[in-house]
Amino acid sequence: MSPATKSKMTTLRFKDRIALYYVLATAALVAAAYLVVFGVVHHRVYLDLDADLRYEVAKHRQEVSLAGRTIRFAHKDEWEEREHREVQVDPVFIQITDPRGQLLDRSPNLKGEQLTFDATPAGRVPFNSQLRGTAIRQVQVRLAAAGGGPAGYLLAAISSEAAQHVLASLRLVLLGSYPVVLLALFGGARLLAGRSIAPITQITAATNRITRSNLAERIALPPRPDELHTLASAINGLLHRVEQAVAREKQFTADASHELRTPLAVLRGTLEVLIRKPRSAAEYVESITLGMHEIDRLTHLVEQLLLLARFENHAKSLRRQELSVLSCVHEVLHRRRADLSAKRIRVDVEDGVSATIVSDPFLVDLILDNVLANAIKYSPAGSTIGVALALGTSHLSCAITDQGIGIRPDDLARIFDPLYRSEALAHKHIDGTGLGLSIVAKACELLAIERTVASTLGQGTAFTLVFPMGGAAVPDGPQGS
């Protein structure tokens, strides 16, 4: 197919392309069927014609007598039969020749004409010829002399005009009906294709009506559970996910605006108080310290927001390497030693194995840091945090358990949403932005880490991370921090 043809094909409507492809495929099948029909009829017509011709040869051969090399008819009056005198009644033409093809005798209906003599073996097979502009079917039979040599040949022919007419009529009908059949097939296929893709048109129209302002609208499902039903269901599922994403985006924007506005409002209020009248050095120090605290809070919030934004493209830049989860836990606890000391919290690391995994060290450290920071933040003074590592057949699990305030069952499904804090008003003394667990969820998704949370209000929370395995496991004993 040429590029120009391909270009034209792509400009056709979808239902026209379906109809055209169907017609092209059907055209080949119809052409093959027509050829088979014509071949069968052609074979049958000539088979019957040759049977009649052989019958006439056998009948007239019995009337021929041989005396040495002389050929004569036993009953000369047979030459006067009606079939030899009248051309209109399926005439039979008979001719006798010597071995060299010289005419010896012929039927009266040949008049001054002669049948075509062919001394080659091809002449012994029925073949088509012409006699006075009329189509005939001809064959020649060798007449053997007493010694076994050829005494001459008997040539017989019958008219094949009727057979030629039948074949010509059939050829005309087939050739004439071929384009008509193809046009009818194209029209029918186009109509059926139009009806078949009508639900797709409806789905397209419904999809075009759905915008950001009406994401709750859904596509009506076709009544039959076919491919179109599956397509509509898939689109509805996609719309549901998009609606949820947009809702989360709106909620995130509102929460982020609120979180950013709060420290800015505190800074503005503090500065307004300072400029109203002269203050003592102690008051200036106190206000500046408060302002710096709000700036730090704002900086931390912005950094976490930027980190969440970078996660969208971080999958392409993962730097996987072999690392020890146990070592990562101890590194995080070392960084958090000041917070642990201030609240007199003990961390018991109970691990039966020290195993390595293949993962991104930055993200693994980020996950463990946020989970342990939450455990420290929400644990009461003098409590204990447990870290337990367990090795499975294809994974390494890390369970971090605290004795903190716990999470309400209704809030467990939302703690990974950006800027969401469970009962934030009831715990105003606990700093936080609500982004830590969102960062954990994104990082776990990138690294294919399974995460589960179990919590009992007022008793504590257990956070379990299941890392895909990589590397070898080495037995080790329990440690404490």
Side-chain angles (χ1 to χ4, degrees):
M1 188 179 293
S2 64
T5 304
K6 290 182 180 180
S7 177
K8 291 180 180 179
M9 293 282 286
T10 55
T11 58
L12 293 175
R13 298 176 63 183
F14 183 61
K15 66 177 182 179
D16 292 333
R17 291 204 303 273
I18 293 177
L20 183 58
Y21 293 145
Y22 171 77
V23 169
L24 290 176
T26 308
L29 295 177
V30 172
Y34 276 15
L35 289 175
V36 170
V37 169
F38 185 80
V40 170
V41 173
H42 184 277
H43 175 73
R44 188 70 228 182
V45 165
Y46 278 101
L47 192 66
D48 293 340
L49 199 60
D50 293 344
D52 293 341
L53 184 59
R54 289 190 177 93
Y55 169 76
E56 294 295 338
V57 168
K59 183 176 68 174
H60 287 285
R61 188 174 183 180
Q62 294 175 0
E63 301 169 356
V64 176
S65 64
L66 298 173
R69 291 188 176 274
T70 302
I71 306 173
R72 65 184 181 86
F73 282 92
H75 304 284
K76 187 65 175 177
D77 56 350
E78 292 295 331
W79 291 93
E80 305 300 329
E81 286 186 359
R82 183 183 178 194
E83 65 179 0
H84 299 306
R85 296 197 311 268
E86 297 182 6
V87 178
Q88 295 83 356
V89 185
D90 294 333
V92 178
F93 305 99
I94 301 297
Q95 179 177 309
I96 297 176
T97 67
D98 62 11
R100 295 187 301 273
Q102 298 298 320
L103 179 64
L104 297 178
D105 208 346
R106 59 187 168 190
S107 60
N109 56 5
L110 278 174
K111 298 182 181 180
E113 300 291 337
Q114 292 187 29
L115 298 177
T116 304
F117 176 77
D118 187 359
T120 65
R124 302 172 190 175
V125 180
F127 62 93
N128 291 325
S129 185
Q130 292 282 330
L131 181 64
R132 295 193 294 269
T134 303
I136 60 172
R137 187 74 168 170
Q138 179 183 331
V139 70
Q140 62 189 43
V141 179
R142 190 179 70 164
L143 301 174
Y153 291 93
L154 173 66
L155 283 68
I158 60 175
S159 174
S160 62
E161 282 291 318
Q164 296 287 350
H165 179 71
V166 169
L167 294 177
S169 299
L170 179 61
R171 186 185 300 110
L172 181 63
V173 169
L174 294 179
L175 291 177
S177 64
Y178 187 68
V180 176
V181 170
L182 293 185
L183 288 175
L185 285 173
F186 180 78
R190 189 174 184 273
L191 178 63
L192 292 176
R195 291 184 178 180
S196 299
I197 66 173
I200 298 179
T201 305
Q202 297 173 359
I203 291 174
T204 303
T207 306
N208 289 333
R209 289 195 305 270
I210 298 174
T211 61
R212 186 183 180 92
S213 59
N214 63 334
L215 285 174
E217 185 176 346
R218 294 293 180 266
I219 297 171
L221 298 178
R224 298 177 181 176
D226 52 13
E227 290 80 0
L228 293 178
H229 187 282
T230 304
L231 173 63
S233 300
I235 294 177
N236 284 340
L238 174 63
L239 290 173
H240 178 69
R241 293 191 294 272
V242 171
E243 182 183 15
Q244 289 183 326
V246 171
R248 288 195 299 268
E249 178 188 346
K250 290 180 179 179
Q251 184 64 40
F252 175 78
T253 303
D255 293 342
S257 299
H258 174 74
E259 292 293 334
L260 291 171
R261 191 164 49 245
T262 300
L264 292 175
V266 172
L267 281 174
R268 181 180 181 84
T270 301
L271 294 176
E272 287 178 348
V273 169
L274 288 177
I275 64 175
R276 284 179 183 171
K277 62 179 181 179
R279 304 288 179 176
S280 64
E283 290 176 326
Y284 279 117
V285 170
E286 180 182 0
S287 297
I288 292 173
T289 302
L290 177 62
M292 292 179 64
H293 174 74
E294 293 300 323
I295 290 174
D296 292 339
R297 178 184 171 189
L298 184 61
T299 301
H300 180 64
L301 177 61
V302 171
E303 287 176 350
Q304 289 190 312
L305 289 174
L306 291 175
L307 183 60
L308 276 177
R310 284 200 301 270
F311 271 133
E312 300 299 328
N313 298 320
H314 197 78
K316 300 179 181 179
S317 58
L318 288 178
R319 297 181 179 178
R320 297 181 183 272
Q321 64 185 54
E322 190 172 310
L323 55 92
S324 169
V325 176
L326 180 62
S327 299
C328 293
V329 169
H330 285 298
E331 288 178 9
V332 173
L333 293 177
H334 181 73
R335 288 200 303 269
R336 297 286 178 178
R337 63 186 183 278
D339 297 332
L340 292 170
S341 177
K343 298 182 72 172
R344 304 185 310 282
I345 294 176
R346 172 181 172 81
V347 180
D348 290 333
V349 180
E350 300 177 357
D351 60 284
V353 292
S354 176
T356 60
I357 63 172
V358 177
S359 193
D360 187 303
F362 170 74
L363 293 183
V364 171
D365 181 82
L366 191 65
I367 293 169
L368 293 172
D369 185 75
N370 277 283
V371 174
L372 285 169
N374 266 11
I376 296 171
K377 187 187 304 181
Y378 291 101
S379 293
S383 61
T384 301
I385 295 175
V387 179
L389 299 180
L391 181 63
T393 55
S394 60
H395 63 273
L396 174 68
S397 64
C398 176
I400 299 174
T401 308
D402 63 54
Q403 299 173 340
I405 60 177
I407 304 171
R408 292 189 309 173
D410 295 342
D411 292 336
L412 280 175
R414 299 189 59 191
I415 59 174
F416 294 102
D417 293 344
L419 298 171
Y420 180 80
R421 298 185 66 195
S422 177
E423 296 185 300
L425 296 178
H427 310 291
K428 293 182 178 180
H429 60 285
I430 300 177
D431 293 334
T433 61
L435 290 173
L437 291 183
S438 299
I439 294 173
V440 169
K442 287 285 187 180
C444 288
E445 182 180 348
L446 287 174
L447 299 178
I449 299 172
E450 298 181 13
R451 49 181 170 78
T452 57
V453 182
S455 183
T456 302
L457 195 63
Q459 296 183 17
T461 302
F463 204 112
T464 303
L465 301 169
V466 180
F467 298 89
M469 271 297 298
V474 181
D476 200 354
Q479 299 183 32
S481 295

